[in-house]
Amino acid sequence: MPDRYRDDCPTAFSLARRELLLGGLSLAGGFAALPMLPPVAAAASWSQQSEAQFMEISSLLVQHRLDEQVGRRIGAAMSTLNPSLSEQMAGLLAIAKNKNARIVEDFFPDVPQGPLKETALAIISAWYLGVVSDAPDAEVFALEYALMYGPTKDVMTIPSYAISGPNGWTSDAPPLDRMPEF
């Protein structure tokens, strides 16, 4: 809306408050959506066959009941850090099938040193720690489901502000009956 009393601004360059507000909101929305693009691209490259392979090799390497949704996220994140993850998983599965393995001890000694063993150890580590890398800004996938808390979950709480676990504010931690004697 040009001001009829101003002659220093042509109407082609005028900017209304609504246009400025809509432009600013669009720009802010674009910046807010920008961090979401890499995970979407990584998830698109991680196929269902890769997910199945990851869960199959994970169930051989880790003898626990594993959550498939957590496994899907861990596998997709590992594939972004390690582009040859699919080939390495196929190699690990081939060694396990060659040994008719049902548990990790059946085939792990036959895994050669190098990328295959490093990948196997990285998969085990991801399930137990709930993170894929040791970087300070690493994304936590499964604090509540991290396997490192399993052996002590009856007496030790998961690190959180809530005593009974993440987002659990109602129950109390179990009391210690006896202090251990050393």
Side-chain angles (χ1 to χ4, degrees), residues 21-52:
L21 181 64
L22 288 175
L25 288 174
S26 299
L27 187 64
F31 283 130
L34 192 60
M36 306 267 301
L37 293 178
V40 170
S45 67
W46 187 246
S47 67
Q48 288 183 342
Q49 180 184 1
S50 299
E51 289 175 12

Side-chain angles (χ1 to χ4, degrees), residues 105-121:
E105 288 83 5
D106 292 344
F107 75 98
F108 199 76
D110 295 328
V111 176
Q113 291 292 330
L116 285 181
K117 190 159 274 202
E118 290 171 9
T119 297
L121 292 173

Side-chain angles (χ1 to χ4, degrees), residues 168-182:
W169 299 97
T170 56
S171 63
D172 294 330
L176 290 175
D177 291 336
R178 290 177 289 144
M179 291 300 290
E181 295 179 22
F182 299 101

Side-chain angles (χ1 to χ4, degrees), residues 45-137:
S45 67
W46 187 246
S47 67
Q48 288 183 342
Q49 180 184 1
S50 299
E51 289 175 12
Q53 274 188 332
F54 183 78
M55 289 307 293
E56 184 178 0
I57 194 63
S58 291
S59 67
L60 288 171
L61 291 170
V62 180
Q63 300 300 311
H64 291 281
R65 198 172 343 150
L66 304 175
D67 187 280
E68 286 192 33
Q69 289 180 336
V70 173
R72 188 176 306 125
R73 292 182 63 208
I74 289 175
M78 288 184 80
S79 70
T80 59
L81 294 175
N82 181 2
S84 58
L85 179 67
S86 294
E87 295 85 24
Q88 292 166 351
M89 286 189 311
L92 289 169
L93 285 171
I95 294 170
K97 288 179 182 177
N98 188 28
K99 289 292 199 174
N100 292 325
R102 293 187 175 204
I103 58 173
V104 67
E105 288 83 5
D106 292 344
F107 75 98
F108 199 76
D110 295 328
V111 176
Q113 291 292 330
L116 285 181
K117 190 159 274 202
E118 290 171 9
T119 297
L121 292 173
I123 291 171
I124 294 168
S125 174
W127 279 106
Y128 273 91
L129 298 178
V131 294
V132 177
S133 72
D134 293 335
D137 61 343

Side-chain angles (χ1 to χ4, degrees), residues 1-15:
M1 291 183 170
D3 187 2
R4 62 182 178 163
Y5 299 109
R6 291 190 58 187
D7 62 355
D8 61 341
C9 181
T11 58
F13 295 115
S14 67
L15 189 63

